[in-house]
Amino acid sequence: MTNLTVLGPVKALLAELSVKDGTFRPGAEVSLEQAMDRLTGLKRSPVLRVLERLRREGDLELVEETKADVKPGENGPRRRNPTFKVVRDIRQRRDAQAKGEVTCRDKVWGTLRGLRPRATTISELVRLTGCEEQTVRESIKALEAGGFVKARGKIGREKAWILMKDAGVKRPEIPETELRSA
């Protein structure tokens, strides 16, 4: 598993912890064990590598380093369990993105990719991206017209959206003709 496939979910987790009401609030802390509990399906070592890379690049700060016992059925020594503090808005990273301004549509696309395979709602996307609700709705409508997202049930009273087709890190461009026919 490459760091790029782990980076999206880790960024989504960090954004979820540090963004409240669309505003970045530094100081949220997360340990590797907490991250592994929330990021099911990912292996420990790639997640640790991504967190360490984000620390080296100035997005995270190491708070403390402890040792965690191995889980029942596993062998080996006690494992590192570093705790990191979020110091920079993770949504502003431009990993493998064209240089230029990060738009709300880019933020919506990146957040959807990071939350995959979990479904999400418009209000959650508004909270995580800090974008206007109307902009998020238009982004979802465009992605739906292109076949990238699909409505999948409800979460509470809101329609839940799930990423169906991943076009990569860069947000897919939807031709205007597809938007008019939707």
Side-chain angles (χ1 to χ4, degrees), residues 20-57:
K20 305 290 185 230
D21 301 320
T23 305
F24 171 68
R25 302 203 195 296
E29 292 186 4
V30 63
S31 71
L32 179 58
E33 288 297 317
Q34 291 169 331
M36 292 309 301
D37 288 342
R38 305 265 309 263
L39 301 170
T40 57
L42 297 177
K43 294 189 186 308
R44 181 184 175 83
S45 57
V47 172
L48 178 59
R49 279 196 301 272
V50 166
L51 289 170
E52 286 292 346
R53 180 177 133 203
L54 293 173
R55 182 193 56 78
R56 283 192 310 274
E57 293 174 2

Side-chain angles (χ1 to χ4, degrees), residues 77-92:
R78 296 176 70 194
R79 299 188 175 170
R80 287 180 61 205
N81 184 29
T83 300
F84 298 95
K85 178 170 63 171
V86 181
V87 293
R88 206 163 60 187
D89 193 350
I90 202 76
R91 299 171 301 167
Q92 302 304 318

Side-chain angles (χ1 to χ4, degrees), residues 18-171:
S18 62
V19 176
K20 305 290 185 230
D21 301 320
T23 305
F24 171 68
R25 302 203 195 296
E29 292 186 4
V30 63
S31 71
L32 179 58
E33 288 297 317
Q34 291 169 331
M36 292 309 301
D37 288 342
R38 305 265 309 263
L39 301 170
T40 57
L42 297 177
K43 294 189 186 308
R44 181 184 175 83
S45 57
V47 172
L48 178 59
R49 279 196 301 272
V50 166
L51 289 170
E52 286 292 346
R53 180 177 133 203
L54 293 173
R55 182 193 56 78
R56 283 192 310 274
E57 293 174 2
D59 296 309
L60 302 175
E61 188 177 278
L62 183 65
V63 175
E64 77 176 314
E65 179 91 35
T66 59
K67 296 282 186 179
D69 292 327
V70 293
K71 294 189 172 156
E74 293 181 353
N75 295 322
R78 296 176 70 194
R79 299 188 175 170
R80 287 180 61 205
N81 184 29
T83 300
F84 298 95
K85 178 170 63 171
V86 181
V87 293
R88 206 163 60 187
D89 193 350
I90 202 76
R91 299 171 301 167
Q92 302 304 318
R93 289 186 58 84
R94 294 188 179 155
D95 300 306
Q97 227 177 15
K99 298 293 182 211
E101 187 177 322
V102 177
T103 66
C104 278
R105 285 190 175 203
D106 293 329
K107 290 178 185 179
V108 169
W109 175 252
T111 304
L112 283 169
R113 288 188 76 233
L115 292 173
R116 156 186 91 220
R118 184 169 76 86
T120 187
T121 62
I122 298 285
S123 62
E124 185 177 23
L125 287 170
V126 167
R127 182 178 59 82
L128 291 174
T129 62
C131 299
E132 296 287 326
E133 183 177 348
Q134 186 59 35
T135 306
V136 173
R137 285 189 188 285
E138 290 169 3
S139 298
I140 291 293
K141 183 179 176 183
L143 291 169
E144 182 182 29
F148 293 97
V149 298
K150 183 177 181 182
R152 172 82 40 98
K154 289 189 170 196
I155 298 175
R157 293 183 175 177
E158 280 189 80
K159 192 182 285 188
W161 297 93
I162 191 163
L163 186 65
M164 298 301 291
K165 183 168 62 173
D166 190 351
V169 176
K170 191 171 179 193
R171 171 180 55 89

